[in-house]
Amino acid sequence: RKEVEQDPGPFNVPEGATVAFNCTYSNSASQSFFWYRQDCRKEPKLLMSVYSSGNEDGRFTAQLNRASQYISLLIRDSKLSDSATYLCVVNSNSGYALNFGKGTSLLVTP
Amino acid sequence: EAQVTQNPRYLITVTGKKLTVTCSQNMNHEYMSWYRQDPGLGLRQIYYSMNVEVTDKGEVPEGYKVSRKEKRNFPLILESPSPNQTSLYFCASSLDSVNGYTFGSGTRLTVV
């Protein structure tokens, strides 16, 4: 079983919609959690870290549920520019290595 | 500008011809790592380094070598490249295990 699992999508949503992605992780000792965004053939870019208390950055909200070992990302009022692949990332036991999910593809349409 | 710089961006080479992909960061980060990304497999870690002269294997280290002689540089060496090493490679660095990694722009390697 892969350490980090995501629904690959694609999620096709209209502009202005709210969309949510979930991700599950297998290592209960993991301490750091992130969402990355990757545009086609480009490098992954850190979207936001995910904290136990949940955190919000503009239209983006991230939640962590340690008991169920899942992480979520909510995007409100979707923009065309939000179209990308969203990667769920969890640190390893050692804390030095990151484990990436395979990503969830989002396409926002006019 | 704070960044991770990889070179070259694109490389086509032949089987067995040794090559090095360079990676340099200007943020004084201790942690550096190499990943490869393949369709359907996502990003997989090749090697990582916690500091100068300290490296360890990631998920897919076979066929690769790394070195960390200076804090800013973390080259990836393919001693005898094979076609199954055709991939998109990313170097990344981080201040510590709590913060996320900053990625380089990637190196698209084709081995024929």
Side-chain angles (χ1 to χ4, degrees), chain A residues 45-93:
Chain A
K45 292 188 177 177
L46 181 64
L47 181 65
M48 57 198 304
S49 301
V50 186
Y51 303 120
S52 296
S53 55
N55 47 302
E56 188 173 306
D57 183 1
R59 298 182 292 109
F60 299 84
T61 301
Q63 298 275 356
L64 168 63
N65 185 319
R66 285 188 184 272
S68 302
Q69 293 180 212
Y70 82 76
I71 307 153
S72 65
L73 176 68
L74 183 77
I75 305 175
R76 290 180 298 278
D77 188 23
S78 300
K79 311 290 184 192
L80 296 177
S81 57
D82 293 334
S83 297
T85 296
Y86 290 84
L87 303 168
C88 176
V89 185
V90 176
N91 81 333
S92 70
N93 269 339

Side-chain angles (χ1 to χ4, degrees), chain A residues 36 38 43 95-98 102, chain B residues 31 37 40 45 97-98 100-101 104:
Chain A
Y36 276 74
Q38 186 175 27
E43 73 273 23
Y96 305 125
L98 298 181
K102 293 182 182 180
Chain B
Y31 299 89
Q37 187 171 32
Q45 190 178 51
S97 61
V98 176
Y101 275 86

Side-chain angles (χ1 to χ4, degrees), chain A residues 2 32 34 36 38 41-46 49 87 91-92 94-102, chain B residues 31 35 37 40-43 45 48 50 59 88 90 97-106 108:
Chain A
K2 193 153 170 56
S32 301
F34 311 92
Y36 276 74
Q38 186 175 27
R41 297 173 178 266
K42 298 284 187 70
E43 73 273 23
K45 292 188 177 177
L46 181 64
S49 301
L87 303 168
N91 81 333
S92 70
S94 67
Y96 305 125
L98 298 181
N99 293 306
F100 285 78
K102 293 182 182 180
Chain B
Y31 299 89
Y35 290 85
Q37 187 171 32
L41 297 176
L43 277 147
Q45 190 178 51
Y48 61 95
M50 293 79 81
E59 184 181 351
L88 177 57
F90 290 106
S97 61
V98 176
N99 292 283
Y101 275 86
T102 299
F103 282 79
S105 299
R108 187 164 292 278

Side-chain angles (χ1 to χ4, degrees), chain B residues 41-61:
Chain B
L41 297 176
L43 277 147
R44 294 179 294 167
Q45 190 178 51
I46 303 170
Y47 269 95
Y48 61 95
S49 169
M50 293 79 81
N51 213 324
V52 175
E53 302 291 2
V54 183
T55 63
D56 206 349
K57 296 176 180 179
E59 184 181 351
V60 288

Side-chain angles (χ1 to χ4, degrees), chain A residues 18-54:
Chain A
T18 295
V19 61
F21 306 136
N22 290 327
C23 151
T24 58
Y25 62 95
S26 60
N27 186 346
S28 59
S30 298
Q31 294 297 320
S32 301
F33 310 89
F34 311 92
W35 283 102
Y36 276 74
R37 169 194 170 126
Q38 186 175 27
D39 295 288
C40 187
R41 297 173 178 266
K42 298 284 187 70
E43 73 273 23
K45 292 188 177 177
L46 181 64
L47 181 65
M48 57 198 304
S49 301
V50 186
Y51 303 120
S52 296
S53 55

Side-chain angles (χ1 to χ4, degrees), chain B residues 24-40:
Chain B
S24 180
Q25 51 93 4
N26 62 359
M27 297 167 280
N28 202 36
H29 284 172
E30 291 196 349
Y31 299 89
M32 296 187 75
S33 187
W34 276 101
Y35 290 85
R36 62 177 288 174
Q37 187 171 32
D38 302 287

